[in-house]
Amino acid sequence: MVLEEMECDSVYEPHITEEHVESYYGKVHCIMMGTPKTNHPVILTFHDVGLNYKSCFESLFKHEDMREIIRHFPICHVEAPGQQEGAKTLHTGHTYPTMDQLSEVIPAVIKHFGLPRVIGVGVGAGAYILAKFALNHPDMVDGLVLININPSAEGLIDSVTSKITEWTHTLPDTLISHLFGNVEILNNHDLIATYRHLITTTMDEYNVSEFLHSYNHRHPLEVERPIPGGNINARTLKCSTLLVVGDNSPAVEAVVDCNSKLDPTKTTLLKMADCGGLPQADQPAKVIEAIKYFIQGLGYLSSASMTRLGSRTTSFSSIDGSRSRAHANELQRGRTYSHSAEDKHGPSHASTMEHTS
């Protein structure tokens, strides 16, 4: 199904509702933007540890280039228990859900809002949760955009390092090291100060530490790349998946590892040059551009709207309207896209592409 672009270019303001959705593992705070439609997917987001939907996704969804997507797709932001802005401290004795349990909260959200299917957009812990959900409920998912996903469990060395970090660092320091790479921490003091302020002033420290503990004790996703003529029934993501990571992110190796474990015919790795730990905040226009092509590859958004996209963005500027659908389909075939540093700053540079193994 192709969604035609609306004639009106005026700013679309979706109806917004906030609700606490009850699930078997407790209540989760959800923000619904727009009205779900029958047989039409909703974009569902899940944030990383140390962030909530605002600090994780506001730069992305308030960007002017996202307006086209918001006109066509309702958005459902899901926040882990106790992670929303101004949340009260979880009561003593509360058992925080595991990552596996948090993934089973998503079906309750889908049922509550009457969502037919979703396109998941997750970052870090949220990416893991959505991937786990898609593995267990493939019939509910059209596609996934996974930023900074780590498919592995915390190893012994990582566990020891985490313990030492707990003894020697404050919670905000630990979260900053999780979210950002050394280059950003050492050189982008304003950015780090901004996120440190958000962590310390808008979120409950105890609640965040519980979510972090849950993430640090996650199980591996246990996905395996299908091999033609071999294990074609390997456990893997069945939907089209876009993996995104900045080249200065602490999650680079984990994302590349995840890419090696997924079906190359349905997976694309976007590694963004000159980009830090939060691509959706650092280079939102580039991430939105990739998401638009990804969504078009799923059969949504018209070629007319993509032609206009190509005329005002940079990395796919060489793709004209007649070829945009073919390019969007190509995006599904296990390729790696790497934006150059020059591409970030100027409109005359095209992206480079190389085949992944």
Side-chain angles (χ1 to χ4, degrees):
M1 179 177 65
V2 175
L3 302 178
E4 295 300 328
E5 183 180 17
M6 291 185 175
E7 294 291 334
C8 181
D9 282 335
S10 60
V11 177
Y12 170 66
E13 295 293 342
H15 177 67
I16 299 175
T17 59
E18 295 190 36
E19 296 186 42
H20 284 86
V21 177
E22 189 70 56
S23 77
Y24 186 78
Y25 301 106
K27 293 182 178 180
V28 290
H29 184 243
C30 298
I31 300 87
M32 189 73 208
M33 302 172 60
T35 303
K37 302 174 184 177
T38 304
N39 298 323
H40 180 67
V42 171
I43 294 176
L44 184 144
T45 76
F46 211 115
H47 59 88
D48 200 357
V49 175
L51 304 174
N52 49 44
Y53 97 90
K54 284 187 178 180
S55 55
C56 192
F57 293 111
E58 196 166 56
S59 297
L60 189 71
F61 284 92
K62 285 199 171 183
H63 194 282
E64 61 178 357
D65 289 349
M66 184 58 84
R67 292 173 185 169
E68 180 182 358
I69 292 178
I70 293 176
R71 282 202 301 268
H72 292 311
F73 295 90
I75 313 294
C76 181
H77 297 292
V78 181
E79 296 182 298
Q83 308 305 304
Q84 69 269 27
E85 191 173 285
K88 295 181 179 179
T89 303
L90 297 170
H91 61 79
T92 304
H94 175 271
T95 301
Y96 203 84
T98 65
M99 298 297 286
D100 290 356
Q101 291 171 342
L102 286 173
S103 73
E104 289 303 315
V105 168
I106 306 300
V109 173
I110 289 175
K111 181 179 179 180
H112 177 84
F113 288 107
L115 313 182
R117 292 171 67 87
V118 301
I119 299 172
V121 180
V123 180
Y128 177 97
I129 289 167
L130 291 182
K132 192 75 172 182
F133 158 69
L135 285 169
N136 293 330
H137 304 278
D139 57 318
M140 296 184 179
V141 186
D142 267 1
L144 290 174
V145 179
L146 305 176
I147 302 173
N148 297 342
I149 185 170
N150 188 338
S152 303
E154 191 176 59
L156 178 60
I157 295 177
D158 295 326
S159 180
V160 172
T161 302
S162 294
K163 286 295 183 184
I164 294 174
T165 300
E166 289 176 9
W167 298 333
T168 61
H169 292 70
T170 65
L171 179 63
D173 289 334
T174 301
L175 295 171
I176 291 297
S177 296
H178 166 74
L179 296 171
F180 302 101
N182 290 331
V183 173
E184 288 176 294
I185 294 173
L186 293 175
N187 299 318
N188 199 335
H189 301 294
D190 289 341
L191 174 71
I192 301 305
T194 296
Y195 277 89
R196 186 183 297 276
H197 176 76
L198 289 171
I199 292 168
T200 57
T201 62
T202 68
M203 304 186 72
D204 183 274
E205 182 173 341
Y206 174 77
N207 296 354
V208 174
S209 67
E210 289 288 281
F211 188 22
L212 177 62
H213 181 270
S214 179
Y215 179 64
N216 285 341
H217 289 79
R218 66 190 178 278
H219 296 126
L221 283 179
E222 296 181 340
V223 290
E224 181 183 352
R225 172 169 285 193
I227 301 175
N231 187 14
I232 60 174
N233 295 319
R235 177 176 168 84
T236 190
L237 293 173
K238 303 298 184 183
C239 62
S240 295
T241 303
L242 174 62
L243 305 178
V244 182
V245 69
D247 64 351
N248 291 322
S249 169
V252 170
E253 292 184 6
V255 175
V256 172
D257 177 54
C258 186
N259 182 60
S260 71
K261 296 177 178 178
L262 299 180
D263 187 341
T265 67
K266 296 183 178 182
T267 307
T268 300
L269 170 60
L270 172 60
K271 187 177 179 182
M272 303 180 67
D274 194 25
C275 184
L278 295 178
Q280 78 280 10
D282 190 4
Q283 297 186 29
K286 296 298 181 187
V287 174
I288 293 167
E289 183 179 5
I291 290 175
K292 284 183 177 180
Y293 279 111
F294 177 73
I295 289 176
Q296 192 190 31
L298 298 177
Y300 305 100
L301 293 177
S302 68
S303 59
S305 65
M306 298 304 291
T307 302
R308 192 178 69 177
L309 168 68
S311 69
R312 71 169 185 267
T313 55
T314 59
S315 64
F316 298 114
S317 59
S318 63
I319 306 301
D320 59 31
S322 63
R323 295 171 57 207
S324 61
R325 173 53 62 91
H327 181 79
N329 290 335
E330 185 180 67
L331 193 61
Q332 310 306 317
R333 300 191 184 113
R335 294 181 180 269
T336 297
Y337 290 75
S338 178
H339 291 298
S340 65
E342 292 84 358
D343 185 53
K344 178 183 177 184
H345 301 292
S348 61
H349 303 275
S351 67
T352 59
M353 293 177 285
E354 60 179 336
H355 287 284
T356 59
S357 58

